[in-house]
Amino acid sequence: MTEPFDVVVVGSGASGGWVAKQLTEAGLTVAVLEAGRKLDPAVDFTDHKRPFDMPRRGDRYGPRESREEQRVQSLTPQCNEYTHHLFVKDTELPYTTPKERPFLWIRSRQLGGRSITWGRQSYRLSDLDFKVASRDGFGVDWPVDYAELAPHYERVERFIGISGQAEGLSQLPDSVFLPPMDMTCGERHVRQSMKTKFGRTLTIGRTAILTANLNGRPKCHYCGPCDHGCMTGSYYSSPASTLPAAERTGRLTVIPNAVVSHLEVDDAGKCKSVYYVDRLTRAHREIPGKAVVLCASTLESTRIMLNSRSSKHPNGIANGSGVLGHYLMDHVMGGGAGGVLPMLDKKSAPTSNARRPNGCYLPRFRNVTEKHPDFLRGYGYQGGAGVEKWGHAHTIPGFGASFKERVRDERRWTFRLGGFGECLPRFENYAELDKDKVDAWGIPVLHISMAFGDNEKKMVKDMSEQAAEMLEAAGAESVRAYANPSPPGFAIHEVGTARMGNDPKTSVLNRWQQAHEVRNLFVMDGSVYPSSACQNPTLTIMALASRACDYLVEEMKRGAV
Amino acid sequence: MRVSRRDALRKLGMGGVAAAAAPSWVEALGALAQGHLHPAPTPATAPADWTPKVLNADQDETVTLLSELIIPATDTPGAKAALVNRFVDAVLEDADEHERKEFLRGLEWTNLRSREQFGTDFKSATPALQTELLTAMSADQPATSADLLGRDFFRAIKSLTITGYYTSEVGMKQELGDDGQMFFAEFKGCDHPEHGAPARAAAPVRK
């Protein structure tokens, strides 16, 4: 490793894996630095563990040591007794927030990052999102439009595999789909009602799970809990898909346990090397590269840049504008409703124990054709219908044989909808280096200051009301609506803080995700988002990376990086 | 912030297991149990190879008894065969001190009340008297405020029994009809035209 690599990639998650694949396949030598360890699926994945294999039956908050060491991580349902080892320890990786502005920062450090535990929902953005400021005057347009990104969506989709149903909606362009998963009776029923009464399209979730064998990976076997890790690699995770492809080129070097602290620059201010601390030995090392691509995740990539201070870059690398760290966003959740579908009976319940690891999606309908009087932008819903198994036992009174019989008899069809809303980009939602605190490896931690505003709160109210109205219109009973905006970070869709744009005064990166001020520094994760849209971000992050990698390869070929 | 007794017992009982054993839709979509009319089997593990970590022998016996009263053996095994007492002990071991204390206080309250009313510990009372006391404890509005502990304790042990039973091997396999199969060729959804399902291509006829 004395020779400098063509490209050093920081982070091995969904985007880092993609970048490694595309760059090595284009003939470049690539080192991927990963802060965490390499997982052993036989030990670390718990997808085939049953509740009774776990001491506390898969407890929501995990064992005592997890509740103590992972006070933030354990707040997300994804971090539980099955999976807590796939999330960081907050005690090792603290961050600070103002008291009145809580932010949940949910993180994984392992080869594959959060692509091991992600929700896999995958939706394209449209020009409604890319040309957003031109439509409603708030914020900025993206420096890329749909026509330019569409071929990159397709390239990513053809490799990782997205199952779904084409619906021909302008606000949610169709992907190149593998066969859709089936809807349940309850979902079909509600789909019909929403179509007829509201002109809205409830579609099966579009998900990065294979419904047909693809590129050497077997299709899903419907065991259910993907977020426990997938033994067969049937959903997209970088270790099951892009990283092996990169490895096959012979040009990939993966360095686990490399906790990146900052970037070293030369006299001209260009990146010279990536500086890291060995997670296990605490030894300090430097790895030189002709170019650096940060895929460390939103906030982590920004943290590395803020911590890369030099005489050329006194406020952090690529931060002459002072924009680095600002315009942090996350989708707002907390509005929705659930109800019982009395028109369906147990006879229409599924007859096998196969578990569909997917729900349904109701695409955005606000501010698409008509302007909403109360808020800008919009939200989509995730949800679905199924038959209760035993959770309803907690609501049945009494005890004894009659109670047990009622649990059997009263399995109802229920339907739920929960919204994911767009968050407006605001300068005052930001992250900066905390001046006093360092993590377990001696690296300065972030101070994160974010709150949702009036627009998001009004949106959550509408999510709640609309969900209830649609459920009632579909004949649902016992409809319960809720409207409690989630704390920022809870959606784990954090984006922004190193946004791309055409104006170097108001953005960190140019339209190719290359730092305006440092031509051999690129960022290819969620940090680059100029606005959050309301769709789950990972697919778009990867499509953007595909486009930016094409540019990086061309620029390197002509010696311009 | 002081955590009230009721909150402690509620937290212990609801433990989050029910809500988070799987993503909500996975839990919701888990197929309906079919054909749960099996003869009651013997427990998978003999109770002798286990000792409780929190409960003493008397308390363990009482918890076992209470759980079986809540979900008894019928045409499928009940909470005792599902070893729900072991789950309760494991939850108590991992719980916060305050939650553990409140639970044990509730257990003691049950014995005290049994002695007052029936002149004997709960476990030695007749099944009819045990049911009588449990029925009183299960009332939403107890007769006196002194009985609130009994009501809250009932809610906690019932909730633990529900979670412990339906997530046990016995409960899942025999009551819910989920034999643990992990590999399925397909997830078959709705194919009813009345729900709007598109017509399926007819299956090829095998000769």
Side-chain angles (χ1 to χ4, degrees):
Chain A
M1 292 202 315
T2 46
E3 241 183 335
F5 288 94
D6 289 326
V7 181
V8 179
V9 178
V10 180
S12 67
S15 69
W18 181 271
V19 170
K21 167 182 142 59
Q22 191 171 336
L23 295 183
T24 53
E25 287 178 348
L28 303 178
T29 57
V30 171
V32 169
L33 304 187
E34 166 51 52
R37 66 193 173 105
K38 192 171 187 291
L39 299 174
D40 176 359
V43 178
D44 293 309
F45 290 179
T46 52
D47 48 339
H48 291 181
K49 293 258 192 224
R50 312 204 72 207
F52 49 81
D53 295 325
M54 313 300 288
R56 296 190 69 220
R57 309 282 169 87
D59 185 277
R60 159 71 187 81
Y61 296 99
R64 172 173 289 279
E65 70 266 22
S66 161
R67 298 200 302 275
E68 283 165 5
E69 294 173 339
Q70 298 179 295
R71 283 184 185 276
V72 176
Q73 308 306 306
S74 64
L75 293 174
T76 181
Q78 285 91 334
C79 178
N80 53 51
E81 190 181 6
Y82 294 101
T83 57
H84 63 94
H85 56 289
L86 302 175
F87 293 84
V88 301
K89 291 179 181 171
D90 296 302
T91 45
E92 290 180 341
L93 286 163
Y95 61 95
T96 60
T97 68
K99 223 181 190 151
E100 71 286 4
R101 287 162 76 86
F103 182 89
L104 303 190
W105 193 11
I106 309 300
R107 290 161 291 167
S108 295
R109 287 189 168 187
Q110 59 214 1
L111 198 67
R114 291 184 294 192
S115 77
I116 305 294
T117 54
W118 70 309
R120 310 163 304 282
Q121 293 289 302
S122 299
Y123 301 93
R124 289 190 181 191
L125 271 56
S126 75
D127 277 334
L128 188 67
D129 308 304
F130 297 123
K131 298 179 177 174
V132 64
S134 300
R135 286 174 49 95
D136 65 24
F138 191 97
V140 290
D141 284 345
W142 291 49
V144 52
D145 66 8
Y146 184 71
E148 197 178 344
L149 202 57
H152 297 281
Y153 274 125
E154 182 170 341
R155 181 197 268 173
V156 170
E157 288 157 2
R158 286 194 186 282
F159 186 77
I160 72 172
I162 307 290
S163 79
Q165 173 71 52
E167 302 281 6
L169 303 169
S170 67
Q171 75 274 36
L172 195 78
D174 295 322
S175 290
V176 176
F177 288 127
L178 298 175
M181 292 185 190
D182 274 1
M183 280 183 152
T184 63
C185 293
E187 291 160 354
R188 285 256 169 234
H189 169 81
V190 175
R191 176 178 158 103
Q192 272 186 313
S193 160
M194 284 182 179
K195 194 67 147 186
T196 321
K197 294 175 181 154
F198 297 86
R200 297 171 187 167
T201 304
L202 182 76
T203 191
I204 186 70
R206 299 174 176 182
T207 180
I209 299 174
L210 303 185
T211 49
N213 297 344
L214 183 73
N215 300 322
R217 293 159 53 214
K219 68 175 187 155
C220 176
H221 57 275
Y222 303 99
C223 73
C226 300
D227 46 338
H228 297 180
C230 180
M231 303 270 188
T232 57
S234 300
Y235 66 76
Y236 172 67
S237 71
S238 49
S241 165
T242 40
L243 287 172
E247 227 143 55
R248 284 193 291 273
T249 66
R251 285 183 284 273
L252 175 72
T253 303
V254 173
I255 306 174
N257 303 310
V259 183
V260 172
S261 152
H262 63 275
L263 311 175
E264 292 277 338
V265 295
D266 62 19
D267 295 340
K270 270 180 73 180
C271 286
K272 183 174 76 174
S273 63
V274 178
Y275 192 97
Y276 70 90
V277 182
D278 187 297
R279 185 176 70 91
L280 303 171
T281 66
R282 278 9 186 212
H284 288 212
R285 297 183 197 284
E286 248 182 89
I287 180 164
K290 293 177 200 159
V292 172
V293 179
L294 296 179
C295 297
S297 81
T298 298
L299 290 170
E300 283 291 10
S301 289
T302 292
R303 179 183 174 200
I304 291 167
M305 287 190 280
L306 287 170
N307 197 37
S308 302
R309 286 163 297 186
S310 60
S311 56
K312 286 277 176 197
H313 307 289
N315 301 316
I317 196 165
N319 193 24
S321 65
V323 169
L324 183 62
H326 292 270
Y327 303 104
L328 173 61
M329 297 163 278
D330 180 38
H331 291 149
V332 65
M333 299 172 66
V340 175
L341 300 174
M343 71 294 295
L344 297 173
D345 57 21
K346 287 196 288 186
K347 284 200 287 290
S348 48
T351 51
S352 106
N353 285 315
R355 292 166 182 85
R356 186 192 67 188
N358 189 17
C360 288
Y361 190 75
L362 183 65
R364 169 177 166 182
F365 50 86
R366 289 303 193 203
N367 293 311
V368 175
T369 52
E370 289 163 33
K371 190 171 158 30
H372 195 275
D374 295 339
F375 56 84
L376 303 173
R377 318 288 163 96
Y379 55 87
Y381 289 106
Q382 293 179 31
V387 179
E388 291 169 316
K389 223 170 178 179
W390 59 269
H392 62 297
H394 289 289
T395 64
I396 295 175
F399 61 93
S402 59
F403 166 78
K404 189 178 173 187
E405 197 55 37
R406 278 187 69 181
V407 176
R408 281 183 198 176
D409 285 347
E410 296 177 18
R411 294 193 167 107
R412 305 163 305 177
W413 273 93
T414 62
F415 193 99
R416 298 173 233 215
L417 282 176
F420 286 77
E422 178 159 356
C423 160
L424 295 178
R426 293 189 197 87
F427 186 81
E428 62 268 26
N429 286 334
Y430 70 97
E432 64 185 1
L433 289 184
D434 188 296
K435 288 172 189 69
D436 305 315
K437 206 163 186 159
V438 295
D439 68 14
W441 292 272
I443 302 166
V445 307
L446 284 182
H447 178 75
I448 302 170
S449 177
M450 177 171 177
F452 287 127
D454 202 38
N455 201 66
E456 288 85 24
K457 286 170 191 160
K458 284 180 175 158
M459 205 183 273
V460 166
K461 187 168 169 278
D462 193 56
M463 286 175 188
S464 171
E465 290 166 0
Q466 285 299 304
E469 195 181 320
M470 287 186 283
L471 284 182
E472 274 159 10
E477 289 175 356
S478 312
V479 172
R480 286 173 66 172
Y482 55 91
N484 307 299
S486 55
F490 189 70
I492 325 182
H493 291 169
E494 69 276 11
V495 290
T497 68
R499 69 182 188 182
M500 59 196 292
N502 291 322
D503 182 355
K505 289 193 200 67
T506 59
S507 57
V508 177
L509 310 168
N510 67 17
R511 64 190 306 270
W512 303 106
Q513 297 170 237
Q514 177 183 36
H516 286 297
E517 299 162 28
V518 187
R519 67 173 194 267
N520 68 343
L521 172 61
F522 292 76
V523 183
M524 299 192 193
D525 58 28
S527 318
V528 310
Y529 266 49
S531 65
S532 80
C534 67
Q535 298 92 319
N536 309 47
T538 304
L539 178 66
T540 298
I541 291 169
M542 294 175 75
L544 286 168
S546 159
R547 173 177 166 278
C549 281
D550 274 355
Y551 173 83
L552 169 57
V553 169
E554 284 309 307
E555 291 294 286
M556 281 198 103
K557 271 188 194 154
R558 64 183 194 95
V561 162
Chain B
M1 189 173 59
R2 199 183 161 274
V3 186
S4 73
R5 178 199 70 231
R6 202 165 310 154
D7 284 344
L9 286 175
R10 189 180 298 140
K11 192 169 158 227
L12 188 63
M14 295 307 283
V17 182
S24 56
W25 62 78
V26 175
E27 185 60 52
L29 294 183
L32 175 66
Q34 295 291 323
H36 39 52
L37 302 175
H38 302 288
T42 47
T45 326
D49 62 0
W50 172 85
T51 46
K53 301 252 171 50
V54 173
L55 302 170
N56 64 32
D58 260 9
Q59 290 167 330
D60 181 50
E61 208 180 319
T62 309
V63 164
T64 306
L65 194 60
L66 284 164
S67 70
E68 181 71 10
L69 281 165
I70 292 166
I71 302 184
T74 51
D75 54 345
T76 62
K80 183 179 179 183
L83 307 176
V84 163
N85 59 314
R86 298 187 184 191
F87 171 68
V88 172
D89 190 69
V91 170
L92 290 175
E93 188 195 359
D94 196 75
D96 293 341
E97 181 64 28
H98 179 60
E99 298 162 16
R100 185 163 47 238
K101 265 193 184 150
E102 288 300 329
F103 184 90
L104 295 176
R105 234 161 58 80
L107 199 56
E108 184 51 31
W109 180 95
T110 309
N111 270 326
L112 275 172
R113 182 52 56 95
S114 175
R115 283 199 290 273
E116 277 169 29
Q117 293 191 344
F118 316 134
T120 172
D121 278 355
F122 186 78
K123 68 181 164 72
S124 309
T126 64
L129 291 177
Q130 288 170 347
T131 301
E132 183 187 319
L133 177 50
L134 214 52
T135 303
M137 289 163 70
S138 71
D140 272 346
Q141 296 295 332
T144 73
S145 62
D147 296 344
L148 278 172
L149 175 56
R151 181 196 68 179
D152 293 344
F153 172 69
F154 173 79
R155 288 179 178 177
I157 183 93
K158 178 179 169 183
S159 188
L160 285 167
T161 300
I162 288 169
T163 301
Y165 178 72
Y166 291 105
T167 60
S168 70
E169 189 165 6
V170 163
M172 290 192 81
K173 287 187 179 169
Q174 304 197 43
E175 178 64 19
L176 299 177
D178 183 347
D179 63 0
Q181 185 182 340
M182 286 293 167
F183 287 86
F184 298 87
E186 60 170 0
F187 170 85
K188 199 167 163 298
C190 173
D191 53 7
H192 305 105
E194 68 270 28
H195 301 141
R200 275 177 198 269
V205 180
R206 293 237 172 89
K207 291 188 180 168

